[in-house]
Amino acid sequence: MKEHEAIAILLVVVSITGCVGGITANQGNSTAVSNNETDIKYPPEPESLSNEAVRSFVRESEKSLRTEIILDGSQGQVQNIEISVNNITITADTGQGAFVHVEYMVGVREAGPSGAVTVSDTRYTANYYVTNGTVWRATTTGIVRPGPDPRTNGTTVPTDDSVHRSVLST
C-alpha cells in the first residue's frame, strides 16, 4: 500500500470515529444518550437572567429537546446520540429578557428495522428568548446567523416535563 493511500484510509477512519465515537471540540459541552434512557430530564426555568443561569438552562434544555425529538422520530433502535454545543451567544434585551443564539452538532447512530446501521451528523441553530416568566424557542437545520427569531417564529418552552412532548418540532 502506498503511503498516500494509507493516510487517506486513516483520515476516513478518524473522520468516521470522530463523528460516531463522540470526539468533539469541547467535551464539556457534549452529551451521549442511548435508547435505554427513556426518561428525558428537562432543566427547571432559570432562577435569574444572569448569563450563567441562562446559558446553563438553554444548553440543557436544547440537549433534552433534541434528544426527545430524535428518540420520538426513530424508526429503529437509536444506539447513540452525541450532542455537542459549539457556540452560545447571549444578548440582553433592555433588562426584559435574554436573546440566546445556540449552534450545535448532533451525531446519531441508529439500527433500522432491517438491522442496517446508519450514522448521521446534523448541525442546528436554536434561538431562545428567555424572560422571568416565559421561554420561547425557534430552531432550524444548519448554522444560520442570526437564525430565526423566537419571539415571532418560535414556540413556548414549558419547564414542566409532562408538557414537552406537545411542543416538539424540528
Side-chain angles (χ1 to χ4, degrees):
M1 181 181 308
K2 295 180 183 176
E3 183 179 340
H4 70 280
E5 290 173 338
I7 292 172
I9 290 171
L10 179 62
L11 289 175
V12 169
V13 170
V14 169
S15 295
I16 291 171
T17 59
C19 295
V20 177
I23 298 171
T24 60
N26 187 345
Q27 291 291 338
N29 288 331
S30 66
T31 188
V33 180
S34 70
N35 244 15
N36 297 333
E37 291 187 47
T38 56
D39 188 23
I40 310 277
K41 302 290 185 210
Y42 292 94
E45 187 173 316
E47 293 180 17
S48 72
L49 293 179
S50 72
N51 283 351
E52 183 178 321
V54 170
R55 180 176 281 112
S56 176
F57 168 78
V58 167
R59 178 185 296 116
E60 296 310 311
S61 181
E62 195 59 31
K63 287 179 180 181
S64 296
L65 285 164
R66 183 58 57 193
T67 298
E68 189 164 352
I69 290 167
I70 291 166
L71 293 175
D72 285 352
S74 173
Q75 299 297 314
Q77 164 105 28
V78 175
Q79 296 175 339
N80 189 52
I81 301 171
E82 182 74 24
I83 300 174
S84 178
V85 178
N86 302 317
N87 180 32
I88 297 179
T89 306
I90 300 173
T91 307
D93 181 31
T94 65
Q96 300 293 321
F99 184 81
V100 185
H101 177 85
V102 183
E103 297 171 0
Y104 62 101
M105 290 197 52
V106 177
V108 179
R109 180 181 171 96
E110 179 177 9
S114 69
V117 175
T118 59
V119 177
S120 64
D121 285 322
T122 308
R123 294 175 186 224
Y124 293 96
T125 298
N127 285 331
Y128 283 74
Y129 186 68
V130 182
T131 69
N132 282 323
T134 307
V135 178
W136 289 274
R137 171 186 179 260
T139 186
T140 189
T141 303
I143 302 301
V144 180
R145 295 178 185 145
D149 187 336
R151 295 166 291 185
T152 56
N153 297 317
T155 57
T156 57
V157 176
T159 54
D160 178 284
D161 289 348
S162 64
V163 185
H164 275 284
R165 293 186 189 280
S166 67
V167 298
L168 298 178
S169 60
T170 62

